[in-house]
Amino acid sequence: MITTTTDSASTPLDRLSERLAGDMEQVNILIRARMASRHAPRIPEVTAHLVEAGGKRLRPMLTLAAARLLSYPGQDHVKLAATVEFIHTATLLHDDVVDESRQRRGRPTANLLWDNKSSVLVGDYLFARSFQLMVETGSLRVLDILANASATIAEGEVLQLTAAQDLRTDESIYLQVVRGKTAALFSAATEVGGVIAGAPEAQVRALFDYGDALGIAFQIVDDLLDYGGVSATIGKNIGDDFRERKLTLPVIKAVARADAEERAFWVRTIEVGDQREGDLEEALAIMARHGAMEAARADALGWVAKAKAALTLLPGNEIRAMLDDLADFVVARVA
Amino acid sequence: MITTTTDSASTPLDRLSERLAGDMEQVNILIRARMASRHAPRIPEVTAHLVEAGGKRLRPMLTLAAARLLSYPGQDHVKLAATVEFIHTATLLHDDVVDESRQRRGRPTANLLWDNKSSVLVGDYLFARSFQLMVETGSLRVLDILANASATIAEGEVLQLTAAQDLRTDESIYLQVVRGKTAALFSAATEVGGVIAGAPEAQVRALFDYGDALGIAFQIVDDLLDYGGVSATIGKNIGDDFRERKLTLPVIKAVARADAEERAFWVRTIEVGDQREGDLEEALAIMARHGAMEAARADALGWVAKAKAALTLLPGNEIRAMLDDLADFVVARVA
């Protein structure tokens, strides 16, 4: 049972936002200053559309929280938080081109409002800007972490492309994809916060582990929510992954447990891509029959436990408690 | 009249390649090692298609030449040369998506052989790999130069997108676009060669200036060749820029000198995009009438002179002489 909220009106994420509001204001000022372009007005148009769209700034918050948890007295964590948000925004722009998405955070995507070209090139621009920001910290260790994270992200995205529509995709490939598309930036975000604060190796490692496990749990939950959560209720925005023939964790678990008839269903809908009226409902029924949703949620809870265990290696303070609550909250999104 | 060749069978580029063959072999080995991916086999497929396609490796050669000109005794210039080639390859992959190109170096483009998604994501992967390589040199100055170059490249590409089809694009905007799409990587390539060799500031600056001027001359000549060179002979692969409604230097010069009737022609063909049979021939005739090709070639020669002047600040040796010949050769491509 997960209930850590003392104030029922706010989430752990809200409370963390409130605690770090001063730092985050600096991050937002820096983001606005750096997404400008003297020469190409298209750039701030596209980035403002996305950066101002009311994302929760979860990733930069992780960097700020990691540094502040360790009583970092400087200002470079603000640069690194902005760096992380720029990398995130760049990958969103490129993802929307790759997925041919039409909506993001409830608004039309940039590739729809402008064109794919702008999304590709403005994504490149934001990535270059993030790179400039991190160089300004003068920390080669931070640069190494973020360079490796960038490579893992891109590799995970390519792997997802080739793993889609392929029923041989198993849980280990899924985990690689998830580390690439989500957890690599979460873990880099927390790790660089620790590095910039000059934390001992064991604490830096614990921050990495927290971000990694939190990111994996977050993505498993996202993938569950795409099927309506554990209760698997059909509603709006349900089944996108099914229609795009992505092998996410609940489907992988159901495929692994499929009888001959069910396997034929997955081959037709996911591998062949011949989807018909009622197929999404059938997919949900098959997954329910095998407890695939509950099993995926149990995996997410396992990652939450790992995230919380990593935190015990860090100084016990208010921010640590908030990060602990945040880990529970990530999975509490699926009822 | 430009003739610097003593051996009529080889170009200055060939001779530079021969002189730096040992270093370049190391660069090629490193490129092949780093474009691999344990997890995503699609990555080496796409990159091999492009990296092995027989490009002339001009940009990495500039890095090697700069370092060797200054008698650099180490090995980090090999890493930087591979970095520069990865950045170049990443931008080609993204350019082909943006331009919807179907051919590159005489072969079908990656976006045609695989898909736009693979080109976007593998481009991101190569950019991340380049970033890892440069971090390995441990030089913050090098990282700063390449971060700034990356931002200039992306900014120039976005500017080109918005400047296309817009007859208000003048020579100063053209120069910004050219610095972004071509000269920024040329100048970063030569500059980092000097920095890694530990050259004094004045020499580092001279290397930057050489790369900048060479890159601008190179791109002006490329844009001239797209119209068949100064003689403007209609042949295969002629007129792509015209069909894509790009404002390149000869067109900008012709637009600036246009009478009312000619201006109407440019408005229809470039701004409105209503192109008809015989329009390319008409465009060439208008440009010839105003000497636009010769004027653009004269500008390129001016940049070559700047490139050669910058070289005089560097130690006089065999490699400097080859870079001097290379500058002439770049413009000798347009008869």
Side-chain angles (χ1 to χ4, degrees), chain B:
Chain B
M1 202 55 226
I2 299 145
T3 48
T4 51
T5 313
T6 49
D7 172 0
S8 65
S10 73
T11 69
L13 189 54
D14 294 333
R15 291 196 295 282
L16 201 54
S17 294
E18 205 174 302
R19 174 68 175 74
L20 299 166
D23 279 354
M24 191 55 84
E25 182 51 30
Q26 297 302 311
V27 173
N28 286 330
I29 289 169
L30 189 58
I31 285 175
R32 273 184 223 110
R34 295 305 179 90
M35 74 186 182
S37 161
R38 234 175 348 131
H39 301 314
R42 171 69 53 85
I43 290 174
E45 284 169 32
V46 174
T47 51
H49 172 73
L50 199 58
V51 172
E52 306 283 352
K56 288 176 294 299
R57 302 266 201 274
L58 172 56
R59 291 156 189 82
M61 192 117 62
L62 290 173
T63 301
L64 299 177
R68 289 300 191 194
L69 190 164
L70 297 163
S71 309
Y72 174 61
Q75 279 299 307
D76 277 349
H77 65 321
V78 167
K79 282 186 178 152
L80 292 175
T83 295
V84 163
E85 184 68 1
F86 273 162
I87 295 176
H88 177 55
T89 308
T91 61
L92 292 186
L93 281 167
H94 287 186
D95 279 358
D96 286 341
V97 172
V98 168
D99 290 345
E100 293 157 21
S101 310
R102 306 176 66 82
Q103 281 224 329
R104 163 85 63 191
R105 294 173 184 164
R107 303 171 63 181
T109 53
N111 48 318
L112 202 67
L113 282 184
W114 289 275
D115 45 33
N116 276 344
K117 304 173 186 200
S118 297
S119 292
V120 170
L121 296 178
V122 174
D124 289 350
Y125 180 71
L126 287 181
F127 194 59
R129 291 301 249 170
S130 79
F131 179 18
Q132 288 178 309
L133 268 169
M134 58 183 113
V135 170
E136 287 176 24
T137 67
S139 164
L140 281 166
R141 172 106 187 257
V142 154
L143 287 158
D144 187 47
I145 291 165
L146 291 167
N148 293 337
S150 301
T152 305
I153 291 168
E155 207 171 10
E157 301 268 10
V158 179
L159 186 61
Q160 172 169 266
L161 209 59
T162 49
Q165 309 170 20
D166 185 345
L167 289 186
R168 289 169 305 178
T169 301
D170 60 15
E171 294 198 14
S172 101
I173 294 174
Y174 173 78
L175 197 60
Q176 278 173 36
V177 170
V178 166
R179 281 214 156 94
K181 69 188 280 193
T182 309
L185 193 55
F186 274 61
S187 58
T190 46
E191 189 179 11
V192 296
V195 167
I196 208 74
E201 269 322 294
Q203 294 188 356
V204 170
R205 178 75 213 181
L207 283 166
F208 172 92
D209 288 341
Y210 173 79
D212 180 59
L214 185 75
I216 294 169
F218 184 90
Q219 188 58 51
I220 292 175
V221 168
D222 244 32
D223 291 346
L224 273 171
L225 287 173
D226 196 79
Y227 284 102
V230 173
S231 60
T233 325
I234 295 272
K236 62 173 184 171
N237 303 322
I238 295 298
D240 283 349
D241 288 343
F242 181 71
R243 280 183 288 272
E244 289 168 25
R245 302 151 68 191
K246 284 185 183 166
L247 272 289
T248 60
L249 192 54
V251 175
I252 290 169
K253 286 182 185 291
V255 169
R257 297 162 191 186
D259 62 24
E261 195 184 331
E262 289 168 353
R263 194 169 168 85
F265 171 83
W266 294 120
V267 167
R268 174 173 64 78
T269 55
I270 301 288
E271 279 201 348
V272 179
D274 169 17
Q275 297 193 1
R276 304 166 193 166
E277 185 81 30
D279 276 348
L280 177 58
E281 288 77 359
E282 177 64 16
L284 289 167
I286 295 174
M287 290 190 283
R289 199 178 304 153
H290 292 297
M293 301 305 213
E294 288 78 2
R297 182 165 179 274
D299 285 3
L301 284 171
W303 288 106
V304 167
K306 279 186 197 165
K308 290 162 74 97
L311 287 180
T312 62
L313 303 171
L314 296 165
N317 57 28
E318 186 197 10
I319 291 182
R320 194 184 89 171
M322 287 176 172
L323 290 177
D324 194 90
D325 286 350
L326 180 65
D328 291 324
F329 175 64
V330 156
V331 177
R333 294 187 301 152
V334 271

Side-chain angles (χ1 to χ4, degrees), chain A:
Chain A
M1 202 54 226
I2 300 147
T3 46
T4 51
T5 313
T6 48
D7 172 0
S8 65
S10 73
T11 69
L13 189 53
D14 293 334
R15 290 196 296 282
L16 201 53
S17 294
E18 203 174 305
R19 175 68 175 73
L20 299 166
D23 280 354
M24 191 55 84
E25 182 51 30
Q26 297 302 310
V27 173
N28 286 330
I29 289 169
L30 189 59
I31 284 175
R32 273 184 224 110
R34 296 306 178 91
M35 74 185 182
S37 161
R38 238 179 341 136
H39 301 313
R42 171 70 54 86
I43 291 174
E45 284 169 33
V46 174
T47 50
H49 172 73
L50 199 57
V51 172
E52 307 282 352
K56 288 175 295 298
R57 301 265 200 275
L58 173 56
R59 291 156 190 81
M61 191 118 62
L62 291 174
T63 301
L64 298 176
R68 288 301 190 194
L69 190 164
L70 297 163
S71 311
Y72 174 61
Q75 279 299 309
D76 278 348
H77 66 320
V78 167
K79 282 186 178 153
L80 291 175
T83 295
V84 163
E85 184 68 0
F86 273 161
I87 295 175
H88 177 55
T89 308
T91 61
L92 291 185
L93 281 167
H94 286 186
D95 279 358
D96 285 342
V97 172
V98 168
D99 291 344
E100 292 155 21
S101 311
R102 306 176 66 80
Q103 282 224 329
R104 163 85 62 190
R105 293 174 185 162
R107 302 172 64 180
T109 53
N111 49 317
L112 202 67
L113 281 184
W114 289 274
D115 45 32
N116 277 343
K117 304 173 187 201
S118 297
S119 292
V120 170
L121 296 177
V122 174
D124 288 349
Y125 180 72
L126 287 181
F127 194 59
R129 291 302 250 171
S130 79
F131 179 18
Q132 288 178 309
L133 268 169
M134 58 182 114
V135 169
E136 286 175 26
T137 67
S139 164
L140 281 166
R141 172 105 187 257
V142 154
L143 287 158
D144 187 48
I145 291 164
L146 291 167
N148 293 336
S150 301
T152 303
I153 291 167
E155 205 172 10
E157 300 268 9
V158 179
L159 186 61
Q160 172 169 264
L161 209 59
T162 49
Q165 308 171 20
D166 186 344
L167 290 186
R168 289 168 306 178
T169 301
D170 60 15
E171 295 197 13
S172 102
I173 294 174
Y174 173 77
L175 197 60
Q176 278 172 36
V177 169
V178 166
R179 280 215 156 94
K181 69 187 281 192
T182 309
L185 194 54
F186 275 61
S187 58
T190 46
E191 189 179 11
V192 297
V195 167
I196 208 72
E201 269 322 292
Q203 293 187 357
V204 170
R205 177 77 213 178
L207 283 166
F208 172 91
D209 288 341
Y210 173 79
D212 179 58
L214 185 75
I216 294 169
F218 184 90
Q219 189 58 52
I220 291 174
V221 169
D222 244 31
D223 292 344
L224 273 172
L225 288 172
D226 196 78
Y227 284 103
V230 172
S231 61
T233 325
I234 296 271
K236 62 173 184 171
N237 303 322
I238 295 298
D240 283 348
D241 288 343
F242 181 71
R243 281 184 287 273
E244 289 168 24
R245 300 150 68 191
K246 285 184 183 166
L247 271 290
T248 60
L249 193 54
V251 175
I252 290 168
K253 286 183 184 292
V255 169
R257 297 163 191 185
D259 62 25
E261 195 185 330
E262 289 168 353
R263 195 171 167 83
F265 171 82
W266 294 119
V267 168
R268 173 173 64 77
T269 55
I270 301 288
E271 279 202 349
V272 179
D274 169 19
Q275 296 192 1
R276 302 166 194 167
E277 185 81 32
D279 276 347
L280 177 58
E281 290 77 0
E282 176 64 15
L284 289 167
I286 295 174
M287 289 191 283
R289 198 178 305 154
H290 292 296
M293 302 304 215
E294 288 79 2
R297 182 165 180 273
D299 285 3
L301 283 171
W303 288 106
V304 167
K306 279 186 196 164
K308 291 162 73 96
L311 287 179
T312 62
L313 302 172
L314 296 165
N317 58 27
E318 186 197 10
I319 292 182
R320 194 184 90 172
M322 287 176 171
L323 290 177
D324 194 90
D325 286 350
L326 180 65
D328 291 324
F329 175 65
V330 155
V331 177
R333 294 187 300 152
V334 271

